[in-house]
Amino acid sequence: MAIPVIDFSKLNGEDRAKTMAQIANACQESGFFQLVNHGIPVELLERVKKVSSEFYKGEREENFNKSKEVDFLDESSEKLENVDWEDVITILDDNEWPSKTPSFQETMKEYRFELKKFAEKVMQVMDENLGLPKGYIRKALNDGDGDNAFFGTKVSHYPPCPHPERVKGLRAHTDAGGVILLFQDDKVGGLQVLKDGEWIDVQPLPNTIVINTGDQIEVLSNGRYKSAWHRVLSPVHGIRRSIASFYNPSLKATIAPAPQLVEKTNQQVEQTYPKFVFGDYMSVYVQQKFLPKEPRFQAVKAV
């Protein structure tokens, strides 16, 4: 079993209907899919790879090698249950940028600009597949017609681990927010998705963008699209690079199942998710990220 690989460029040709169906099926069945021919310049992606690797090597690797996780694995035979074998920073528009890596700021700003536009194209496809008005999901995440959504980019590196059986690169979880766009390493694997009780590898492919749906897309779609459990295994050889961008709701946004997916002609479809403010959901999520997701939806304060 493999994660679907879909040619995004075919949305503009005679294969549009087939491609739309492939994306809809992926959102429904696995919550994960890879997009090729997505329109993000390969030259830009190559620069992102270069500056990310240089940034880790020049500004992060030494400190990671002195971290408590490294010391604990060296000194103990126990498993590390509550930490991840991951070096990570989060980039925002008003970021305090790394100063020692040439072109890092310029490249990542350009990359984030392209990824945000692309995220909105992906959401329009979801709107159409779900039978929602164009721009519905974007408007829900932005809490209106403005530009209020949270768009963050997480730059992660997973160094070689001497005891990968004792610590995960990233523990199993679902993502709290909306649409996640991942530019993963094309050589060092480790990302896995839970499908029908089995962990499936998200195969490394050059210059693809991996899409997965977060908890809020599950709510907005009234459960038609599920957020998927996923994890990262600690690598044995090589440094795994992972750059995930999150198009998440504004903390003030009110999230609820789209009325079009609850009310049907001559019948009622059960609404299985409460209506809530995303900031309230995040307060629950930070405490329960690695626990079953269903209680999170019910624990959040309903509006």
Side-chain angles (χ1 to χ4, degrees), residues 1 10 16 34 46 49 52 59 62 121 131 144 148 160 176 189 203 229:
M1 186 184 300
K10 290 189 175 180
R16 174 178 171 78
Q34 300 208 52
E46 291 296 335
K49 293 179 192 177
S52 298
E59 302 193 44
E62 184 177 350
K121 291 179 183 177
N148 302 309
Q203 61 273 33
W229 285 91

Side-chain angles (χ1 to χ4, degrees), residues 39-186:
I40 299 166
V42 170
E43 179 272 334
L44 173 59
L45 296 179
E46 291 296 335
R47 278 193 284 130
V48 169
K49 293 179 192 177
K50 181 176 184 292
V51 298
S52 298
S53 296
E54 290 173 349
F55 163 68
Y56 176 72
K57 282 295 201 180
E59 302 193 44
R60 306 288 295 187
E61 185 174 39
E62 184 177 350
N63 284 340
F64 185 86
N65 289 336
K66 298 175 182 177
S67 67
K68 66 179 185 298
E69 291 84 2
V70 173
D71 289 343
F72 190 89
L73 279 188
D74 286 342
E75 297 169 1
S76 170
S77 59
E78 298 177 20
K79 288 187 175 182
L80 289 174
E81 301 285 0
N82 298 312
V83 297
D84 303 305
W85 188 261
E86 177 188 41
D87 178 84
V88 58
I89 67 164
T90 299
I91 297 173
L92 306 174
D93 289 338
D94 57 353
N95 211 67
E96 182 176 338
W97 293 91
S99 59
K100 300 177 184 177
T101 306
S103 301
F104 185 89
Q105 178 176 349
E106 174 190 348
T107 299
M108 296 308 294
K109 279 188 171 181
E110 183 180 349
Y111 174 75
R112 279 173 44 77
F113 178 78
E114 293 291 337
L115 261 288
K116 189 173 183 181
K117 289 194 301 180
F118 184 57
E120 292 175 349
K121 291 179 183 177
V122 172
M123 288 189 288
Q124 286 181 10
V125 173
M126 292 181 180
D127 288 334
E128 186 173 340
N129 273 331
L130 289 167
L132 299 175
K134 183 178 180 180
Y136 184 95
I137 293 175
R138 182 194 182 282
K139 187 174 181 178
L141 300 185
N142 280 276
D143 192 31
D145 291 320
D147 189 21
N148 302 309
F150 174 89
F151 190 74
T153 299
K154 176 183 160 187
V155 180
S156 302
H157 288 86
Y158 304 91
C161 181
H163 300 286
E165 74 284 358
R166 287 167 47 198
V167 60
K168 293 289 186 293
L170 182 58
R171 288 163 285 167
H173 64 287
T174 65
D175 289 322
V179 175
I180 298 84
L181 307 95
L182 172 67
F183 181 34
Q184 69 164 346
D185 202 289
D186 54 13

Side-chain angles (χ1 to χ4, degrees), residues 236-281:
V236 179
H237 305 291
I239 300 171
R240 173 181 165 78
R241 180 197 67 255
S242 172
I243 303 169
S245 296
F246 300 81
Y247 199 117
N248 287 355
S250 157
L251 290 176
K252 297 179 180 179
T254 299
I255 304 296
Q260 297 91 332
L261 302 179
V262 177
E263 298 176 4
K264 300 292 184 182
T265 305
N266 299 325
Q267 62 175 318
Q268 287 293 116
V269 177
E270 182 180 1
Q271 178 174 325
T272 55
Y273 301 87
K275 180 180 181 180
F276 53 79
V277 174
F278 181 62
D280 293 336
Y281 183 82

Side-chain angles (χ1 to χ4, degrees), residues 175-229:
D175 289 322
V179 175
I180 298 84
L181 307 95
L182 172 67
F183 181 34
Q184 69 164 346
D185 202 289
D186 54 13
K187 294 183 175 64
V188 182
L191 176 61
Q192 295 184 322
V193 179
L194 189 62
K195 178 78 168 76
D196 299 327
E198 180 181 355
W199 286 104
I200 306 299
D201 291 330
V202 180
Q203 61 273 33
L205 295 172
N207 298 323
T208 61
I209 300 296
V210 180
I211 305 294
N212 73 280
T213 48
D215 293 347
Q216 307 316 304
I217 298 297
E218 179 168 331
V219 175
L220 288 168
S221 70
N222 200 28
R224 189 178 300 184
Y225 294 171
K226 301 290 188 182
S227 59
W229 285 91

